């Protein structure tokens, strides 16, 4: 389990901390007493969770591009962290069709830049002990199998985003095998984490189902969906974030024993269709909420994708806590708190506390 006493005073460097998942993990780690430093572009949405929760007051952040290796290396040296969590990415499948070069530069060379900076720091007696690269469930070569992918299944990816995440996985593996292996003088435990489709309060990313739904509901518009029958491993953002925190903790304490790839996904019964999600959100929102199916052709997206998380359950002691129906309740509760102009840092921390105390 996550040990608050372990995290108190730990120095953590997070790339992509102004993003959706980056903001959630920054809040949780800060609440545990960690000293979090961020490296990220300015928030890419308006509004943004980072700004609504005033995280700029809690997390000193270097606003720069992951492709700028010089600035990245200087920021890492200044922070001199115990733990590095890499979350900076171009995270949208449809965006990758429009901007494939940027997608590969950010998701692949950004990873190379950070690993090089970590290697240089480790070689010069920096205190970095852990490097965790957060990738995606879409890094797998998706054959539309009805069973979940395991960590040793083949990597691939049909679209530029998915493929770039597979490349990021391979880059991380190459660095681990070449420079951070168990016999190396560079004592950094290197791992990757793959999660499913995350949902939660404060996500305004475009071309994502739940943010698009909530945005439509806020403006009393009919929701428009494009792939109603696509199945996804939906999970509240706190599920994988808890996995990342627990994995980073174990990497620090036990090193190479946990320096592997890890899946963090929902239970089998929470793999649901896009239409099921939208129906549920409309029902929970009320007020005559409705949706329409967008006609026409759309860029390829996988229709079926599942993760096998048995390794994380058996070896990390991690498990999902909130089933999908509860996760959607939390999304709606957060959206209502936003509409009511409540203190969203306090409210978000209350959801984290509720999750922690869920058995």
């Amino acid at each position: 389990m996550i040990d608050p006493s372990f995290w108190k005073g730990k120095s953590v460097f997070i790339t992509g901390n102004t993003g959706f998942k980056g903001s959630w993990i920054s809040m949780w780690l800060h609440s545990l007493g960690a000293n979090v430093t961020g490296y990220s572009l300015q928030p890419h949405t308006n509004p943004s969770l980072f700004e609504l929760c005033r995280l700029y007051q809690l997390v000193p952040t270097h606003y720069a591009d992951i492709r700028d290796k010089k600035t990245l290396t200087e920021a890492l040296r200044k922070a001199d962290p115990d733990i590095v969590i890499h979350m900076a990415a171009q995270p949208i499948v449809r965006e990758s069709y429009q901007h494939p070069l940027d997608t590969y530069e950010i998701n692949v060379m950004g990873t190379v830049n950070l690993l090089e900076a970590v290697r240089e720091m480790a070689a010069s007696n920096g205190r970095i002990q852990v490097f965790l690269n957060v990738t995606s469930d879409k890094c797998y070569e998706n054959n539309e199998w009805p069973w979940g992918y395991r960590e040793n299944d083949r990597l691939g990816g049909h679209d530029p985003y998915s493929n770039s995440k597979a490349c990021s996985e391979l880059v991380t593996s190459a660095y681990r095998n070449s420079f951070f292996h168990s016999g190396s003088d560079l004592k950094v435990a290197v791992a990757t984490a793959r999660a499913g489709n995350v949902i939660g309060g404060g996500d305004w990313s475009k071309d994502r189902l739940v943010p698009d739904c909530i945005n439509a509901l806020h403006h009393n518009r009919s929701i428009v969906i494009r792939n109603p029958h696509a199945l996804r491993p939906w999970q509240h953002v706190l599920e994988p974030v808890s996995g990342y925190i627990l994995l980073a903790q174990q990497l620090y304490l036990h090193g190479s024993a946990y320096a592997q790839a890890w899946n963090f996904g929902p239970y089998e019964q929470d793999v649901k269709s896009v239409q099921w999600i939208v129906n549920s959100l409309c029902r929970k929102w009320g007020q005559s909420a409705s949706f329409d199916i967008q006609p026409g052709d759309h860029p390829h997206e996988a229709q079926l994708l599942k993760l096998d998380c048995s390794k994380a359950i058996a070896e990390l002691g991690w498990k999902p806590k909130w089933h999908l129906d509860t996760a959607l309740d939390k999304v709606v509760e957060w959206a209502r708190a936003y509409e009511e102009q409540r203190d969203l840092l306090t409210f978000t921390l209350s959801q984290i506390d509720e999750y922690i105390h869920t058995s």
Side-chain angles (χ1 to χ4, degrees):
M1 62 183 295
I2 295 171
D3 180 2
S5 65
F6 167 84
W7 287 100
K8 188 173 179 60
K10 285 290 185 300
S11 177
V12 185
F13 187 87
I14 302 176
T15 69
N17 66 296
T18 64
F20 170 55
K21 280 203 290 187
S23 294
W24 276 93
I25 196 171
S26 295
M27 275 184 276
W28 192 338
L29 288 174
H30 184 271
S31 74
L32 291 172
N35 299 315
V36 181
T37 299
Y39 184 97
S40 183
L41 297 176
Q42 294 281 349
H44 70 283
T45 63
N46 183 23
S48 76
L49 181 61
F50 182 83
E51 292 181 333
L52 287 170
C53 291
R54 308 180 303 282
L55 293 181
Y56 47 82
Q57 297 177 354
L58 305 179
V59 179
T61 299
H62 301 268
Y63 296 103
D65 198 306
I66 196 72
R67 292 171 287 186
D68 182 350
K69 182 176 181 298
K70 180 180 178 182
T71 301
L72 176 61
T73 302
E74 290 173 352
L76 189 67
R77 288 188 180 280
K78 183 177 180 181
D80 192 20
D82 302 293
I83 294 167
V84 176
I85 301 176
H86 179 37
M87 304 181 80
Q90 190 298 94
I92 307 297
V93 171
R94 286 168 69 90
E95 180 81 8
S96 76
Y97 281 107
Q98 299 168 12
H99 302 289
L101 180 59
D102 286 343
T103 299
Y104 280 104
E105 285 180 342
I106 295 166
N107 294 353
V108 184
M109 290 310 300
T111 302
V112 173
N113 287 341
L114 184 55
L115 279 163
E116 270 294 286
V118 168
R119 185 167 75 94
E120 292 166 13
M121 281 279 290
S124 60
N125 299 315
R127 63 179 182 177
I128 297 173
Q129 298 290 305
V130 171
F131 175 85
L132 175 58
N133 182 12
V134 175
T135 63
S136 170
D137 60 342
K138 295 176 180 64
C139 69
Y140 291 106
E141 185 70 53
N142 190 357
N143 297 300
E144 309 281 347
W145 287 330
W147 54 84
Y149 290 91
R150 293 183 176 180
E151 289 85 349
N152 58 356
D153 279 326
R154 183 174 178 174
L155 302 178
H158 181 280
D159 57 88
Y161 166 74
S162 304
N163 187 264
S164 72
K165 284 300 189 178
C167 291
S168 181
E169 285 275 350
L170 292 171
V171 165
T172 306
S173 177
Y175 267 78
R176 179 171 55 232
N177 294 335
S178 299
F179 307 115
F180 303 115
H181 53 82
S182 58
S184 170
D185 292 333
L186 306 181
K187 304 301 182 184
V188 181
V190 174
T192 58
R194 307 159 181 175
N197 285 46
V198 297
I199 60 176
D203 189 1
W204 278 276
S205 300
K206 65 177 182 178
D207 290 328
R208 280 186 178 158
L209 177 65
V210 172
D212 286 349
C213 290
I214 296 299
N215 186 51
L217 293 170
H218 277 315
H219 292 90
N220 297 314
R221 297 195 304 261
S222 180
I223 298 166
V224 177
I225 59 176
R226 58 182 182 267
N227 291 307
H229 304 300
L231 293 168
R232 295 288 186 275
W234 308 97
Q235 58 190 153
H236 193 275
V237 63
L238 289 175
E239 303 285 15
V241 163
S242 70
Y244 306 156
I245 294 173
L246 179 58
L247 175 56
Q249 175 182 305
Q250 295 302 90
L251 285 163
Y252 189 96
L253 294 173
H254 304 289
S256 60
Y258 291 88
Q260 310 165 28
W262 299 84
N263 285 341
F264 298 103
Y267 290 119
E268 173 79 16
Q269 59 264 42
D270 288 331
V271 177
K272 298 291 188 182
S273 72
V274 166
Q275 188 163 334
W276 188 96
I277 293 289
V278 177
N279 273 324
S280 296
L281 277 174
C282 288
R283 185 179 67 254
K284 292 175 183 297
W285 192 266
Q287 300 178 344
S288 302
S290 63
F291 70 92
D292 298 304
I293 298 173
Q294 186 179 44
D297 295 328
H298 306 287
H300 175 274
E301 294 186 56
Q303 294 299 303
L304 175 61
L305 182 59
K306 297 180 183 180
L307 289 177
D308 183 329
C309 301
S310 55
K311 186 172 87 166
I313 293 170
E315 298 181 25
L316 270 178
W318 172 90
K319 66 176 182 179
K321 290 186 175 185
W322 285 350
H323 284 291
L324 183 52
D325 192 63
T326 300
L328 291 171
D329 284 338
K330 301 307 173 188
V331 170
V332 171
E333 288 169 13
W334 201 100
R336 293 298 192 194
Y338 169 74
E339 283 193 328
E340 295 163 6
Q341 298 185 329
R342 297 174 63 179
D343 183 315
L344 291 173
L345 174 60
T346 300
F347 187 83
T348 306
L349 288 172
S350 74
Q351 287 199 332
I352 292 172
D353 187 66
E354 185 179 355
Y355 178 85
I356 290 170
H357 290 95
T358 301
S359 58

